[in-house]
Amino acid sequence: MRQQFLLLRLRRAIRNTDAFDVVANMFLAVAPLDSEPGDGSDGERLLALPELTALLFAEQRSVPSGAGSSAKVLRAVHTLVPKVLHASSLRTTFYQLTIRHQPREGPTVVPRLTAAAITKEIYLRLPRFHHKERELLNELFTPTVRESIVARLGFGPEAMFSVFDAFHSYIPQSLVESIRSAGDELAEALEASPELERYMDTQSGGLQAATRRVTTRLAFDHLAEAVALSFDDLVLATALDQAELAALLSRMSIDLDAPNEGVVTAFLNGDNPMRTRPFLSRTGTSRQREWMLVQPTSLIFGMRELVEAALTAEPMDQTYMKHRGELLERRGMRALIDAIRPDVALANVEYNGLHGQRFEADGLLVIGHAAVVLEAKSNRLTQYARAGAPLRLWQELGPIISKAAQQAERLRALIEAGASIHIRSSSNLLDGSGDGARTNWDLDVSEVTEVFTIALSLEDLNYLVTITSELVESGLIPEGALSPWIVNVHDLEIAAQLLDRPAEFIQFLSRRRRTATMNNILAVDELDYVMHYLASGLFPEGSTSTTTLVLSLTDELDAWIFYENGLRDTPAPKPAQQIESGVNEVLTVLERYRPFGWLEASIGLLELAPDFRARVAHEAGRLRELSAGDGRPHSMYLETPPAPTKSLIFIAMSFPRGTQRNAVENQLVGYATLRRYASRADTVFCFGAWVGSQEVFDVFLTLSSPWSYDQALEAAVVTAGLAPGIQT
């Protein structure tokens, strides 16, 4: 009832006003006029404000042109539209709460996901990284695909790019030009009339303030005229073929002169017609058609939805669909290889299961003790799923999430069951001699102890898939299965740029999975999780009865991305985890030489609190100084508590000048063996250094095997009096 009452007030407020004038004012209310990309103002934008206003006019059959609008009307619209959106969100939430505990018939998502889909469209839709989406679209739409698009739509992607380039900021620019024109006009009047100048000088703030008020008022009085585009204006600005432009405008416009019943209700239920129809059109006072671009971002971020709806219609463009999947796999693997620089990187993997069955994985990467399985799911979401239709949402999320989770569990079980996987066929992406195709061989996975899965999508599933418990309850993730990291291609590529140290990327995957399991850190954007990891560690441990909601943390990230891509003038540093210089040196050396256990040791260091990290990193050097002073070996032993996942044991030893390397290794192994046994641990990491060396450390060893009782070691430990803790 509140929603309907507010809509009634809105319709009364905009009666007898100019649609273009009111909608343009609402656009300016959320447009970042005096800011740079990535300065934080984007997060405050409510993109639905001009869109809902435009749709209200679309349902109003009689739309006067040139009627203008008073400040009172604009204030009412600016106040009431957010209230309508809030009321709609509450209505959706309360309705879903009423049906939450009702029995669900057949496969369907839980009500929370339906509410999330609708709320995402109204409140959380903030298109970012236009340059990345544009780059992706250029790769998706090959020359052959472009021909198919033009044949089906009458225009191609280049036409939409041309319109975006010409008009993505035309409303603010039109206002600036109108103010400039009004200022020139007023300056001429003041020059011609000294009396007018003296009068304005007597006003509040003097001549300068009065001039600013007058020019602003004059500019806004003619705003509707300034933002209205004739067909000739569009042709001139875009240099498009007239037939192609006419086809684009016909497909992408909402005609204010035509019946548009139900568009407001559809919008408030999550189905936004302006995603693919971002123009308003009408017959102007001159009886000529005129257009206004309400949502320029839809020309980029709505392009795939519009084009793919045509390409998947009968007959389906099979070439495009195949290319779509291949491109997603290729970009995903490229991002992962750049981030973790793996020892093994296989694409299009066909392998034998435990009982000889034939299975497939889109990508498999191995680095140290970790394997990363990539499942690239290029399935698209239809408008029905975007609007939260429970059955459609379940059907369309299933191939993206469920299949990835099932394939991951299968491969994880296979790796845990044996020392190798029989690969029937794959492409080795680290082989520089062609495509690296190879058949019938065994991949050694004896060192792999952790398997992570990434479900990669072209769709932006942020906010829909961040609450794992809802996915489990909906049956999209099998109960008891480890959750894959569900991420879209842009977010994966940006995360790979940020987490470009392999140990950081693998640690993030581990902590993100624990967060998904515990559901006590929640964000609406995957990049918020990445930024939380860099800033605060993304520690998911703690009480499961409380939830930390992570609000937008991406301002610094946005600023860096925009600056790096030439879209921002003010320099912005790359967001990074604060790692002490000594720790950074140790991590760099471990990554460069990659001895056995290096990745576990690196992640172990990152798991430590900063003061313990620094201590481990500097101990080899400190002990080396002690040995230089007294000519004796020295050692340090640190064992952490079992939280967050297991205890970590680090040993550092220093040796006098001239000690042979084999003697160093023997002493390290002997001491570490006793320490590991005393702590009943599986793994210990050892750093050795000798006097006279300038290296960060000279020897690194990892002892790793399942702990088991040993009578001789038991006696040796007792004799040595070793105990867990921190000792030097």
Side-chain angles (χ1 to χ4, degrees), residues 230-363:
S230 70
F231 188 77
D232 289 340
D233 291 334
L234 288 159
V235 171
L236 182 63
T238 61
L240 290 174
D241 174 79
Q242 291 191 20
E244 189 175 21
L245 178 60
L248 183 150
L249 293 172
S250 175
R251 179 70 70 129
M252 302 190 70
S253 298
I254 296 175
D255 187 353
L256 294 180
D257 302 329
N260 294 292
E261 286 81 2
V263 291
V264 170
T265 300
F267 178 87
L268 296 176
N269 285 324
D271 183 10
N272 179 13
M274 301 209 83
R275 288 179 62 92
T276 55
R277 291 190 288 163
F279 283 91
L280 291 182
S281 68
R282 69 180 181 186
T283 301
T285 53
S286 64
R287 309 311 300 167
Q288 300 295 316
R289 297 297 295 175
E290 56 187 22
W291 288 263
M292 174 187 175
L293 180 55
V294 177
Q295 194 49 269
T297 58
S298 293
L299 290 165
I300 300 295
F301 287 97
M303 188 187 300
R304 255 195 309 121
E305 184 178 349
L306 174 70
V307 169
E308 288 179 350
L311 291 174
T312 56
E314 294 295 338
M316 180 180 289
D317 192 320
Q318 299 289 353
T319 301
Y320 171 72
M321 297 308 293
K322 180 181 179 183
H323 171 65
R324 192 178 193 270
E326 291 172 346
L327 176 62
L328 182 62
E329 292 175 19
R330 188 162 61 249
R331 290 186 69 132
M333 289 296 289
R334 186 166 62 224
L336 290 173
I337 289 171
D338 289 345
I340 67 176
R341 298 175 285 284
D343 305 313
V344 176
L346 307 177
N348 303 313
V349 185
E350 188 178 312
Y351 62 94
N352 284 349
L354 287 172
H355 305 292
Q357 314 98 308
R358 179 178 298 186
F359 295 119
E360 294 180 351
D362 293 326

Side-chain angles (χ1 to χ4, degrees), residues 69-92:
S69 56
S70 67
K72 181 179 179 181
V73 168
L74 296 175
R75 184 165 56 250
V77 175
H78 189 266
T79 301
L80 290 172
V81 168
K83 290 183 177 181
V84 170
L85 296 172
H86 181 62
S88 175
S89 180
L90 285 176
R91 174 185 57 80
T92 299

Side-chain angles (χ1 to χ4, degrees), residues 489-504:
V489 64
H490 294 332
D491 288 353
L492 173 63
E493 290 174 338
I494 290 171
Q497 286 181 271
L498 287 173
L499 308 176
D500 57 358
R501 186 189 292 281
E504 285 186 286

Side-chain angles (χ1 to χ4, degrees), residues 581-591 602 605 616-618 687 696-697:
S581 60
V583 178
N584 189 65
E585 285 185 315
V586 171
L587 293 173
T588 299
V589 173
L590 287 173
E591 181 186 338
S602 299
L605 273 174
V616 171
H618 290 282
F687 297 91
V696 180
F697 56 86

Side-chain angles (χ1 to χ4, degrees), residues 17 111 126 179 304 333 401 450 520 574 662 700:
T17 61
L126 182 61
I179 291 175
R304 255 195 309 121
M333 289 296 289
I401 300 172
E450 283 199 275
N520 61 347
K574 177 182 177 181
N662 61 345
F700 172 79

Side-chain angles (χ1 to χ4, degrees), residues 102-314:
Q102 297 177 7
R104 299 201 310 273
E105 297 181 2
T108 181
V109 298
V110 296
R112 167 67 181 78
L113 289 180
T114 292
I118 298 172
T119 305
K120 172 181 170 66
E121 178 58 39
I122 291 177
Y123 277 115
L124 302 173
R125 183 170 36 86
L126 182 61
R128 291 149 59 205
F129 312 130
H130 293 74
H131 64 288
K132 289 191 68 63
E133 180 69 9
R134 192 159 177 166
E135 175 189 273
L136 175 65
L137 293 171
N138 279 323
E139 288 192 58
L140 276 172
F141 303 143
T142 63
T144 302
V145 173
R146 282 178 165 85
E147 292 177 7
S148 180
I149 295 171
V150 172
R152 293 164 188 252
L153 294 176
F155 61 92
E158 290 84 355
M160 296 178 73
F161 288 141
S162 296
V163 174
F164 176 81
D165 290 338
F167 297 110
H168 72 278
S169 60
Y170 89 101
I171 292 181
Q173 289 172 350
S174 297
L175 176 63
V176 170
E177 291 171 3
S178 295
I179 291 175
R180 185 182 299 115
S181 177
D184 292 343
E185 185 178 331
L186 179 59
E188 292 178 4
L190 291 172
E191 186 176 354
S193 174
E195 295 82 2
L196 176 61
E197 182 175 355
R198 285 194 295 272
Y199 171 76
M200 291 183 64
D201 195 34
T202 64
Q203 303 303 302
S204 175
L207 178 62
Q208 186 175 4
T211 300
R212 185 168 57 251
R213 288 195 296 271
V214 170
T215 53
T216 301
R217 175 60 186 270
L218 288 172
F220 274 95
D221 279 347
H222 300 287
L223 185 59
E225 181 180 332
V227 301
L229 298 163
S230 70
F231 188 77
D232 289 340
D233 291 334
L234 288 159
V235 171
L236 182 63
T238 61
L240 290 174
D241 174 79
Q242 291 191 20
E244 189 175 21
L245 178 60
L248 183 150
L249 293 172
S250 175
R251 179 70 70 129
M252 302 190 70
S253 298
I254 296 175
D255 187 353
L256 294 180
D257 302 329
N260 294 292
E261 286 81 2
V263 291
V264 170
T265 300
F267 178 87
L268 296 176
N269 285 324
D271 183 10
N272 179 13
M274 301 209 83
R275 288 179 62 92
T276 55
R277 291 190 288 163
F279 283 91
L280 291 182
S281 68
R282 69 180 181 186
T283 301
T285 53
S286 64
R287 309 311 300 167
Q288 300 295 316
R289 297 297 295 175
E290 56 187 22
W291 288 263
M292 174 187 175
L293 180 55
V294 177
Q295 194 49 269
T297 58
S298 293
L299 290 165
I300 300 295
F301 287 97
M303 188 187 300
R304 255 195 309 121
E305 184 178 349
L306 174 70
V307 169
E308 288 179 350
L311 291 174
T312 56
E314 294 295 338

